[in-house]
Amino acid sequence: SVLDKTYEGNGDDLPKVTQVMVPPPMLPKFDQVENGGPKVILVTFTVEEKKIEVAPNDSIWAFTYNGTVPGPMIVAHQGDFVELTLKNPATNTQMHNIDFHAATGAMGGGDVSLVNPGQEVTFRFRCTRAGVFVYHCAPGGLMVPIHVTAGMNGAIMVLPKDGLKDENGNPVTFDRAYYIAQQDFYFPKDKDGKTENFATVQQSIQALGESIKTLKPTNIVFNGKQGALLGPNALKAKVGEKVLFITSDANNDTRMHLIGGHADLYWPGGKFSNKPFTDFETWEVPGGSAAAVLYRFREPGTYALLDHNLIEAFAYGAVAQVKVEGKWDSSLMKVVRKQSPLQ
Amino acid sequence: SVLDKTYEGNGDDLPKVTQVMVPPPMLPKFDQVENGGPKVILVTFTVEEKKIEVAPNDSIWAFTYNGTVPGPMIVAHQGDFVELTLKNPATNTQMHNIDFHAATGAMGGGDVSLVNPGQEVTFRFRCTRAGVFVYHCAPGGLMVPIHVTAGMNGAIMVLPKDGLKDENGNPVTFDRAYYIAQQDFYFPKDKDGKTENFATVQQSIQALGESIKTLKPTNIVFNGKQGALLGPNALKAKVGEKVLFITSDANNDTRMHLIGGHADLYWPGGKFSNKPFTDFETWEVPGGSAAAVLYRFREPGTYALLDHNLIEAFAYGAVAQVKVEGKWDSSLMKVVRKQSPLQ
Amino acid sequence: SVLDKTYEGNGDDLPKVTQVMVPPPMLPKFDQVENGGPKVILVTFTVEEKKIEVAPNDSIWAFTYNGTVPGPMIVAHQGDFVELTLKNPATNTQMHNIDFHAATGAMGGGDVSLVNPGQEVTFRFRCTRAGVFVYHCAPGGLMVPIHVTAGMNGAIMVLPKDGLKDENGNPVTFDRAYYIAQQDFYFPKDKDGKTENFATVQQSIQALGESIKTLKPTNIVFNGKQGALLGPNALKAKVGEKVLFITSDANNDTRMHLIGGHADLYWPGGKFSNKPFTDFETWEVPGGSAAAVLYRFREPGTYALLDHNLIEAFAYGAVAQVKVEGKWDSSLMKVVRKQSPLQ
Ligand SMILES: [Cu+2]
Ligand SMILES: [Cu+2]
Ligand SMILES: [Cu+2]
Ligand SMILES: [Cu+2]
Ligand SMILES: [Cu+2]
Ligand SMILES: [Cu+2]
Ligand SMILES: [Mg+2]
Ligand SMILES: [Mg+2]
Ligand SMILES: [Mg+2]
Ligand SMILES: [Mg+2]
Ligand SMILES: [Mg+2]
Ligand SMILES: [Mg+2]
Ligand SMILES: [Mg+2]
Ligand SMILES: [Mg+2]
Ligand SMILES: [Mg+2]
């Protein structure tokens, strides 16, 4: 049982490999099946406090790892260590840290990684469990939801050494992988209902301390900005390709749906040690977790990937697109008679 | 794996069978185990825009398939095609279409089925996956949540060719099946808090565009109307019968519970290719999905089937009843001492 | 299949054992593997209506079983009967009853257990299904959510006769077990936003009838009081111990997370007949259900157990602590370079 696993060594003697972070929805370079033995993956996150425009007239002092909402995806194999260096530039104003749901002990690293502006810290944790997991800032008290809903969260994927398995236990690979995070924002509003435009981080934080208490987001978007994955920024795929969608929400519940597609494979709780479910129309991502879904595209076209609370999707911003090239397969769908006058 | 399935033929050469739609909670006639090979199931949906009373003093310009909220349940077997004709009478005012979560490609059919008043369209899709799936109108943008929360959604059940299997993989049949859909309404209110009574569909739509943004329903009901499945309209069953409950919610999360009963079998995500769970007290239906639960009634009486957010059930309307006839079995429950003065 | 089980006897001839209730998070004395054959477990619940302080300046006329929120955990083995005596002292003002999600028929017992002040009732039900299940008061109509959100709920654990099994089907035991219930309160507020302090239960109930309709809790706490499981009241464990966490929410959705820990084993829906999932970072508890998670602590320290809607945790009160003693294991996490000036 997973209950009985034991471990040796703290990683000091393992080979070290630097993983270059890239902005979501892309993932860094990685092998689906482990190539070589366990290693220490070196990752650097630099905290950026900066104003971002989430929607027209809705800007926020965002807190970010490496400048993006969500932060970059890390990819490891089960048994690897992640060695994270967290840098908090002196130009920042707040203390920050990082809590990895993939890590064991010390508040997921939060207890050992709190850095003041001008400081950095390096710690290492073993990836004992396979799956996709959230990470986020957790500086304590009300600062936890404030920093997380100001954008300071992301995910790590820990692959099994021998890669993913399908519902029959057979190896399965994917052709592309995308990371999509739903972010709930709680923009403070002035008395006319307009989003407040704060001059300083400190003012913003104070107001967020009140606005989050509504429990009702003002904006719910994918990858930090309304339309971040729409139109020219849509995700891409080809008919026949198997695409791994990693979806996370660090705070509030999400129900992900790919219009016209399905979850061929959906790992319960996003954890790869469990047999994947098949055929899901909608997969839920409870707040504070991540999910992984593998889908093979069978038809070309522009797909929508959204939160199937359709109000969240179309009135709050939680919608992305996937543009899929290829040839139409009429064995799956066929128009028998086009739009015509009523008979 | 489900990832590797391939298909031949577009259904042109298969036998065609018309399925006569019936209003929920009832299902059309169907075989639990497929009788004969694959076929094309012909279904006609006529869109009706009409005012319905959801609760006393709460009426809405509803958008419906065939006049009911939810729309009729379609039943197919895996491998069948559904050939849907969607008719939008000239007396309607809006464009409508249909997106089947059971279909693959073209936005589940939404891309090929948009019809103006006075038009009809016919398209066909293959039921490649077994399970219960939502369908709904999706005319684009804010119209998607507006039409869906105005009632325009329903479900299809795709049965495995050889019928359902229990938790041990053995065939299992059911004696009755009911379809219950939770519907969230967002009634626009006047300045006195009373539900607005709009003269025209256009006025209603404009107001709904605002009221849905609250994300807080004003009414949450089963099958379109407070009390639709209560008292004289309660569902019926007999002790010893196995009843399949198909539950859906096209938009917001639901937690279904049968008071005094259980989910003997509950298929994860409502998808029959997965091994059913047993013994669930409450099964969740994330917004935009459907669930299937099989229960054998052991005791007579009036059961309540409700959303176990008990506020939604008792203050918003999300409660139904099942009246079960039979003989009491004291091996399951026995009153030892009736209500008596305290000792 | 579970569908086919039949039962004999109504418990009259079985040995009777009194189970002494204890306040949560503790559990009564029990055997993990059944010791002897089936029995009748005698339990007494006395309803207490009393004012409790949930948070500073937030007091409510709570409705409780045996004086605590949640009510006491009952523990049985599959096949046992629970024989409950419900006492409603004459000093109370309301009718109360109890609905066990673990029971079959008669609204889970609600139909046969309604007692006026000054009355008591005794009934018995067979624990046919293994798992953790919610119980709560359900006196009918709007009184159901009012009583439940005034604290009147708890849980029962029905263990398999031969104890729990891990993900491989092998027996697994635990060293400690804790019961944590999330409670949503809807405090009526005066026109200045302050919590109303009602002189009588009747006034409180009337106001709750309105305030619950917001669907937005004013307080979300574990075990009845903000901080009930924090600091000196934190849960305790030791490195190497396997701890069973039983978590419930009788009304609204919850997403439980143990910071720095995981669900080694998590039983879907909290029902032990199903194979447990492994490695979950966050386990969801849909309103009206309970969950069971087994975790072996590997590192010492103070863990937080919370609702990972972090606003609910840090702004509403849904956070507990687990203090774990032992020796740090650097094979899981190691600080490589402490907080230092930026390089
Ligand atoms: Cu931070
Ligand atoms: Cu977290
Ligand atoms: Cu429509
Ligand atoms: Cu949909
Ligand atoms: Cu009560
Ligand atoms: Cu209940
Ligand atoms: Mg490696
Ligand atoms: Mg979300
Ligand atoms: Mg949920
Ligand atoms: Mg057929
Ligand atoms: Mg939910
Ligand atoms: Mg719902
Ligand atoms: Mg026993
Ligand atoms: Mg929820
Ligand atoms: Mg909750």
Side-chain angles (χ1 to χ4, degrees):
Chain A
S1 169
V2 293
L3 283 159
D4 307 314
K5 286 190 193 170
T6 56
Y7 307 96
E8 278 176 28
N10 63 11
D12 280 350
D13 302 326
L14 293 177
K16 292 186 169 45
V17 180
T18 297
Q19 189 167 89
V20 179
M21 296 291 97
V22 299
M26 305 315 291
L27 276 64
K29 285 185 186 158
F30 64 93
D31 298 311
Q32 295 191 35
V33 173
E34 188 180 38
N35 182 0
K39 56 190 181 301
V40 177
I41 298 173
L42 305 177
V43 173
T44 300
F45 278 5
T46 301
V47 179
E48 295 184 32
E49 301 175 356
K50 63 177 189 183
K51 216 162 204 172
I52 63 168
E53 191 190 66
V54 170
N57 301 315
D58 287 336
S59 290
I60 191 173
W61 281 103
F63 297 154
T64 72
Y65 295 111
N66 283 6
T68 59
V69 178
M73 170 74 61
I74 300 168
V75 182
H77 285 94
Q78 201 171 3
D80 288 347
F81 287 83
V82 167
E83 184 171 313
L84 185 97
T85 296
L86 183 66
K87 290 173 182 276
N88 193 1
T91 47
N92 283 346
T93 67
Q94 306 295 309
M95 297 173 78
H96 301 280
N97 69 352
I98 191 161
D99 161 9
F100 280 97
H101 288 192
T104 298
M107 298 288 264
D111 271 357
V112 299
S113 60
L114 199 64
V115 276
N116 285 309
Q119 284 189 317
E120 66 176 55
V121 69
T122 300
F123 71 103
R124 181 194 291 167
F125 67 93
R126 188 190 293 260
C127 298
T128 59
R129 299 163 195 271
V132 288
F133 300 83
V134 164
Y135 64 75
H136 60 85
C137 191
L142 207 54
M143 284 297 172
V144 182
I146 290 173
H147 285 224
V148 170
T149 63
M152 211 161 176
N153 63 84
I156 178 174
M157 175 163 67
V158 180
L159 288 163
K161 285 171 189 284
D162 51 354
L164 300 180
K165 301 285 167 60
D166 69 18
E167 78 277 26
N168 302 314
N170 296 319
V172 62
T173 58
F174 46 93
D175 300 298
R176 297 171 190 255
Y178 290 118
Y179 171 40
I180 304 108
Q182 191 177 102
Q183 179 68 49
D184 49 331
F185 288 108
Y186 302 80
F187 284 113
K189 302 287 182 182
D190 65 19
K191 62 183 191 310
D192 299 325
K194 289 201 175 148
T195 294
E196 298 258 23
N197 199 342
F198 296 106
T200 69
V201 169
Q202 199 50 48
Q203 287 169 0
S204 171
I205 282 183
Q206 218 136 27
L208 285 169
E210 284 307 309
S211 63
I212 59 174
K213 288 182 188 164
T214 59
L215 282 174
K216 185 179 163 302
T218 54
N219 300 67
I220 306 172
V221 301
F222 292 144
N223 289 18
K225 189 182 167 82
Q226 193 176 302
L229 304 173
L230 291 181
N233 304 316
L235 307 175
K236 309 240 176 302
K238 289 183 181 139
V239 166
E241 285 185 338
K242 289 173 282 186
V243 180
L244 186 73
F245 292 102
I246 302 155
T247 55
S248 73
D249 196 311
N251 194 62
N252 83 337
D253 295 342
T254 297
R255 38 215 84 62
M256 291 296 293
H257 176 84
L258 177 66
I259 304 185
H262 299 88
D264 278 315
L265 303 180
Y266 159 54
W267 284 269
K271 303 308 172 281
F272 297 133
S273 56
N274 301 288
K275 178 179 155 172
F277 292 127
T278 61
D279 298 335
F280 270 45
E281 65 190 305
T282 298
W283 62 97
E284 108 179 281
V285 186
S289 66
V293 155
L294 189 52
Y295 182 58
R296 184 162 68 85
F297 283 93
R298 279 86 167 176
E299 296 284 18
T302 300
Y303 291 72
L305 178 70
L306 44 64
D307 189 319
H308 210 296
N309 181 311
L310 298 164
I311 305 169
E312 295 194 20
F314 291 102
Y316 282 79
V319 57
Q321 286 175 325
V322 190
K323 293 196 177 169
V324 180
E325 292 183 353
K327 205 167 139 271
W328 187 259
D329 177 357
S330 64
S331 79
L332 289 169
M333 189 182 292
K334 182 188 165 176
V335 176
V336 177
R337 183 166 175 262
K338 285 203 174 176
Q339 286 88 340
S340 324
L342 281 163
Q343 293 191 311
Chain B
S1 167
V2 294
L3 283 159
D4 307 314
K5 285 191 194 170
T6 57
Y7 307 96
E8 278 176 28
N10 64 12
D12 280 350
D13 301 328
L14 293 178
K16 292 187 168 45
V17 181
T18 296
Q19 189 166 88
V20 179
M21 297 292 96
V22 300
M26 305 315 291
L27 276 63
K29 286 187 185 157
F30 64 93
D31 298 311
Q32 295 190 35
V33 172
E34 187 179 39
N35 182 1
K39 57 190 181 299
V40 176
I41 298 174
L42 305 177
V43 173
T44 300
F45 278 5
T46 300
V47 179
E48 295 184 32
E49 302 174 357
K50 62 178 189 182
K51 216 161 203 173
I52 63 169
E53 191 189 66
V54 171
N57 301 315
D58 287 337
S59 291
I60 191 173
W61 281 103
F63 297 155
T64 72
Y65 296 111
N66 283 5
T68 59
V69 177
M73 171 74 61
I74 300 168
V75 183
H77 285 95
Q78 201 171 4
D80 289 348
F81 287 83
V82 167
E83 184 171 313
L84 185 97
T85 296
L86 183 66
K87 291 173 182 275
N88 192 1
T91 47
N92 283 346
T93 66
Q94 305 295 310
M95 297 173 76
H96 301 281
N97 69 352
I98 191 160
D99 161 9
F100 280 98
H101 288 192
T104 298
M107 299 289 264
D111 272 356
V112 299
S113 61
L114 198 64
V115 275
N116 285 310
Q119 285 188 317
E120 66 176 55
V121 69
T122 301
F123 72 103
R124 181 193 291 167
F125 68 92
R126 189 190 292 262
C127 298
T128 59
R129 299 164 195 271
V132 288
F133 299 83
V134 164
Y135 65 74
H136 60 85
C137 191
L142 207 55
M143 284 297 173
V144 182
I146 289 173
H147 284 225
V148 170
T149 63
M152 210 160 177
N153 63 83
I156 178 174
M157 176 163 67
V158 181
L159 288 164
K161 285 171 188 285
D162 51 353
L164 299 180
K165 301 284 168 60
D166 69 18
E167 79 277 26
N168 303 314
N170 296 320
V172 63
T173 58
F174 47 91
D175 300 297
R176 298 171 189 254
Y178 291 119
Y179 171 40
I180 304 108
Q182 191 177 100
Q183 178 69 49
D184 49 332
F185 288 108
Y186 302 79
F187 284 112
K189 302 288 181 181
D190 65 18
K191 60 185 192 310
D192 300 325
K194 289 202 175 147
T195 295
E196 297 257 25
N197 199 342
F198 296 106
T200 68
V201 169
Q202 198 50 48
Q203 288 168 359
S204 171
I205 281 183
Q206 217 135 30
L208 285 169
E210 285 307 310
S211 63
I212 58 174
K213 288 182 189 165
T214 60
L215 282 173
K216 184 180 165 300
T218 54
N219 300 66
I220 306 172
V221 302
F222 291 143
N223 290 16
K225 190 182 166 85
Q226 193 176 303
L229 303 173
L230 291 181
N233 304 315
L235 308 175
K236 309 240 176 302
K238 289 183 181 138
V239 166
E241 285 184 339
K242 289 173 284 185
V243 180
L244 186 72
F245 293 102
I246 302 154
T247 55
S248 72
D249 195 311
N251 194 63
N252 83 337
D253 295 342
T254 297
R255 39 216 83 61
M256 292 294 293
H257 176 84
L258 178 66
I259 304 186
H262 299 88
D264 278 314
L265 303 181
Y266 159 53
W267 285 269
K271 304 307 173 280
F272 296 133
S273 56
N274 302 288
K275 179 178 155 174
F277 292 126
T278 61
D279 299 336
F280 270 47
E281 65 190 305
T282 297
W283 61 97
E284 110 180 280
V285 186
S289 67
V293 155
L294 189 52
Y295 182 59
R296 185 162 68 85
F297 282 93
R298 279 87 167 175
E299 295 284 18
T302 299
Y303 290 73
L305 178 71
L306 45 64
D307 188 320
H308 210 296
N309 180 312
L310 298 164
I311 305 170
E312 295 194 21
F314 292 102
Y316 283 78
V319 57
Q321 286 175 325
V322 190
K323 293 196 176 170
V324 180
E325 291 183 353
K327 206 169 139 271
W328 186 259
D329 176 358
S330 64
S331 79
L332 288 169
M333 190 183 291
K334 182 187 165 178
V335 175
V336 177
R337 182 165 176 262
K338 286 204 174 174
Q339 286 88 341
S340 324
L342 280 164
Q343 292 191 311
Chain C
S1 167
V2 293
L3 283 159
D4 308 314
K5 286 191 192 168
T6 57
Y7 307 97
E8 276 175 29
N10 63 12
D12 279 350
D13 301 328
L14 293 178
K16 291 184 169 48
V17 180
T18 296
Q19 189 166 88
V20 179
M21 297 292 96
V22 299
M26 304 316 290
L27 276 64
K29 285 187 186 158
F30 64 93
D31 298 311
Q32 295 191 34
V33 173
E34 188 180 39
N35 183 359
K39 56 190 181 299
V40 176
I41 297 173
L42 305 176
V43 173
T44 300
F45 278 5
T46 301
V47 179
E48 296 184 32
E49 302 174 357
K50 63 176 188 183
K51 216 162 204 173
I52 62 169
E53 191 189 63
V54 170
N57 301 315
D58 287 336
S59 290
I60 191 173
W61 280 102
F63 297 155
T64 73
Y65 295 110
N66 284 6
T68 58
V69 178
M73 171 74 61
I74 300 168
V75 182
H77 285 94
Q78 202 172 2
D80 288 347
F81 288 83
V82 168
E83 184 171 313
L84 185 97
T85 296
L86 183 65
K87 290 174 182 276
N88 192 0
T91 46
N92 283 346
T93 66
Q94 306 295 309
M95 297 174 78
H96 301 280
N97 69 352
I98 192 161
D99 161 8
F100 280 98
H101 288 192
T104 298
M107 299 289 264
D111 272 356
V112 299
S113 61
L114 198 63
V115 276
N116 285 310
Q119 284 189 317
E120 66 176 56
V121 69
T122 301
F123 72 104
R124 180 194 292 168
F125 67 92
R126 188 189 292 261
C127 298
T128 60
R129 299 164 195 270
V132 287
F133 299 83
V134 163
Y135 65 75
H136 60 85
C137 191
L142 207 54
M143 284 297 173
V144 183
I146 289 173
H147 284 224
V148 171
T149 63
M152 211 160 176
N153 63 83
I156 178 174
M157 175 163 67
V158 181
L159 288 164
K161 285 172 188 282
D162 52 353
L164 301 179
K165 300 284 167 60
D166 68 18
E167 77 277 27
N168 303 313
N170 295 320
V172 62
T173 59
F174 45 92
D175 300 297
R176 297 171 190 254
Y178 291 118
Y179 171 40
I180 304 108
Q182 191 177 100
Q183 178 69 49
D184 49 331
F185 289 107
Y186 302 79
F187 284 112
K189 301 289 180 181
D190 66 19
K191 63 183 191 312
D192 300 325
K194 289 202 175 146
T195 294
E196 298 258 25
N197 199 340
F198 297 106
T200 69
V201 169
Q202 199 50 48
Q203 288 169 359
S204 171
I205 282 183
Q206 217 136 27
L208 285 170
E210 285 307 309
S211 63
I212 58 174
K213 288 182 189 165
T214 59
L215 282 173
K216 185 180 164 302
T218 54
N219 301 66
I220 306 172
V221 301
F222 292 143
N223 289 16
K225 190 183 167 84
Q226 194 176 303
L229 304 173
L230 290 181
N233 304 316
L235 308 176
K236 309 239 176 303
K238 290 181 182 139
V239 166
E241 284 185 339
K242 289 174 283 186
V243 180
L244 186 72
F245 292 102
I246 303 155
T247 55
S248 73
D249 195 312
N251 194 62
N252 83 337
D253 296 341
T254 297
R255 41 216 80 65
M256 292 295 293
H257 175 84
L258 178 66
I259 304 185
H262 299 88
D264 278 315
L265 303 180
Y266 159 54
W267 285 269
K271 303 307 173 281
F272 297 133
S273 57
N274 303 287
K275 179 179 155 173
F277 292 126
T278 60
D279 298 336
F280 270 46
E281 64 190 306
T282 298
W283 61 97
E284 104 179 286
V285 186
S289 66
V293 155
L294 189 52
Y295 182 59
R296 184 162 68 84
F297 283 92
R298 278 88 166 175
E299 296 283 19
T302 298
Y303 290 73
L305 178 70
L306 44 64
D307 189 320
H308 210 296
N309 180 312
L310 298 164
I311 305 170
E312 295 194 22
F314 291 102
Y316 284 77
V319 58
Q321 287 175 324
V322 190
K323 294 196 177 169
V324 181
E325 291 183 354
K327 205 168 139 273
W328 186 259
D329 177 358
S330 64
S331 78
L332 289 169
M333 189 182 291
K334 182 187 166 179
V335 176
V336 178
R337 184 165 175 263
K338 287 204 173 176
Q339 286 88 341
S340 324
L342 281 164
Q343 292 192 310

